[in-house]
Amino acid sequence: MTSAIRNDWTLEEIQAIYDQPLLELVFQAATIHRQYHSAKEIQVCTLLSIKTGGCPEDCSYCGQAARYHTDIKVQALLPTETVIAHAQKAKDTGSTRFCMAAAWREVRDNKDFDRVIDMVKGVNDLGLEVCCTLGMLTEEQAVRLQEAGLHAYNHNLDTSETYYKEIISTRKFDNRINTINNVRKAGITVCSGGIIGLGETHRDRISMLLTLATMPKHPESVPINALARVKGTPLEDNPKVDAWDMVRMIATARIVMPASTVRLTAGRIEMTESEQAWCFMAGANSIFTGERQTLLVTPNPGVTEDMQMLQNLGLEPKLSKKEVSAC
């Protein structure tokens, strides 16, 4: 019997799942994963920073915030043809999803947004799933993106509603929820997860998952990030996230949101191949890779290394819908 999709989880129920002995938790997650997904397929995605640095927000983990003194160089919005070339290369090396990120607080109705619309159209024409993360946006802006062919919009919760104000003061948790609601109304799929290692408690992690798992419709994509400690940010001296904490978070997310794609995202550079394999066993079925060995502005394994890892583990890059049809 397939585990049912629920939107009425309680904090206590998710806490009980999260607190299980690790091997029991992973077994349960792996079982549910196989009911909804192919256990051998991993979606390979590419994330490109199309506008870097200079952000007015004060997210404590982010090296792109203008107020922090980091080594990250500010870069204006990339030319559309440059972005399309990166997308084509990503497709050629096995990615089926291409995400474009701009270090903006919010989307503004100006020429830069018009250029992003052109980028979305161009990447969509390549047959890739197109994702954007551009900050807060209105329902009208979301509709424009949807009409251009945007498949998904990323807007992470980052952490629990209670702990949020300890990490970010320049916007509120409700701002995140409002943007997600605008994306949903426009008919775009939602990509929303969070970061562990910010100094939050295990209860905060569970609370964040509760918010996602009790939405009227679960996010189709749930990224689980380990803090990338960027020198010059307030969290640069936080301890490295324990790999077993990542496994536990991924497994719990898989159980409470069984049909969602759970993405193993930031922090992989500090994980061994064996530790990443545990994450896949626990229900992660996507990674972000890249030609420049970066995830936005932090180190990340390169595409060659990742393809070798998948081969070593007997896993396969997930085909696009067009490729599946051709087969």
Side-chain angles (χ1 to χ4, degrees):
M1 180 177 177
T2 301
S3 177
I5 294 177
R6 293 177 49 193
N7 305 81
D8 61 349
W9 293 97
T10 66
L11 190 68
E12 290 69 28
E13 286 177 312
I14 300 179
Q15 179 88 58
I17 292 168
Y18 184 90
D19 287 341
Q20 290 181 90
L22 185 66
L23 297 185
E24 181 60 34
L25 173 62
V26 172
F27 176 76
Q28 184 182 348
T31 301
I32 290 174
H33 181 74
R34 283 157 174 75
Q35 294 173 356
Y36 286 87
H37 308 274
S38 168
K40 68 178 182 179
E41 288 186 339
I42 301 294
Q43 185 179 36
V44 179
C45 313
T46 297
L47 177 60
L48 177 69
S49 180
I50 59 173
K51 186 272 177 186
T52 305
C55 182
E57 300 275 32
D58 69 350
C59 307
S60 299
Y61 54 80
C62 185
Q64 299 197 66
R67 68 193 65 204
Y68 304 138
H69 300 290
T70 68
D71 295 329
I72 294 166
K73 295 180 180 178
V74 175
Q75 170 192 279
L77 190 65
L78 292 174
T80 301
E81 57 271 21
T82 300
V83 173
I84 303 305
H86 278 289
Q88 181 64 62
K89 190 165 186 177
K91 180 180 180 180
D92 293 343
T93 53
S95 288
T96 57
R97 187 179 181 104
F98 189 78
C99 188
M100 297 175 283
W104 291 334
R105 168 182 164 78
E106 59 198 343
V107 174
R108 299 186 184 279
D109 295 309
N110 55 23
K111 291 182 179 179
D112 279 351
F113 186 42
D114 293 340
R115 287 170 59 194
V116 171
I117 293 294
D118 289 338
M119 293 174 192
V120 170
K121 291 177 180 177
V123 176
N124 186 55
D125 287 344
L126 295 178
L128 291 163
E129 289 182 7
V130 196
C131 178
C132 279
T133 179
L134 312 170
M136 296 180 286
L137 79 167
T138 66
E139 185 178 348
E140 292 75 20
Q141 291 164 342
V143 168
R144 281 194 68 191
L145 288 165
Q146 189 275 333
E147 290 173 345
L150 191 72
H151 175 78
Y153 195 84
N154 168 260
H155 206 59
N156 289 332
L157 297 183
D158 292 338
T159 188
S160 71
E161 183 173 6
T162 301
Y163 193 64
Y164 192 83
K165 61 182 178 294
E166 304 298 326
I167 299 300
I168 303 164
S169 70
T170 49
R171 56 177 141 76
K172 299 183 182 300
F173 190 82
D174 284 348
N175 295 140
R176 309 298 272 179
I177 299 299
N178 289 341
T179 290
I180 290 170
N181 290 339
N182 290 337
V183 167
R184 202 44 104 188
K185 289 174 189 175
I188 300 169
T189 66
V190 172
C191 176
S192 187
I195 308 168
I196 66 172
L198 303 174
E200 77 288 346
T201 65
H202 289 280
R203 191 78 163 177
D204 287 315
R205 298 174 184 179
I206 293 161
S207 178
M208 181 192 72
L209 291 177
L210 176 69
T211 300
L212 296 170
T214 54
M215 288 179 174
K217 186 176 183 180
H218 294 163
E220 288 81 358
S221 168
V222 181
I224 302 297
N225 297 271
L227 173 67
R229 297 163 293 171
V230 179
K231 187 177 180 181
T233 63
L235 302 185
E236 66 173 305
D237 294 324
N238 277 27
K240 175 182 176 294
V241 172
D242 189 276
W244 298 122
D245 283 353
M246 285 290 284
V247 172
R248 192 172 288 279
M249 274 293 288
I250 287 167
T252 306
R254 169 53 65 219
I255 292 167
V256 300
M257 293 174 281
S260 301
T261 296
V262 178
R263 304 189 190 276
L264 173 59
T265 44
R268 287 198 304 118
I269 195 69
E270 294 191 274
M271 300 177 73
T272 66
E273 189 173 285
S274 298
E275 289 169 340
Q276 292 179 71
W278 272 96
C279 292
F280 299 138
M281 178 62 73
N285 55 341
S286 176
I287 57 172
F288 280 89
T289 191
E291 62 188 81
R292 296 187 294 185
Q293 296 184 307
T294 58
L295 192 65
L296 292 184
V297 293
T298 56
N300 191 67
V303 63
T304 302
E305 183 180 347
D306 280 334
M307 291 304 179
Q308 183 62 56
M309 175 182 68
L310 296 184
Q311 183 177 336
N312 292 347
L313 299 177
L315 300 172
E316 300 173 356
K318 184 178 180 180
L319 299 177
S320 67
K321 290 181 181 178
K322 186 177 290 187
E323 290 170 321
V324 171
S325 299
C327 290

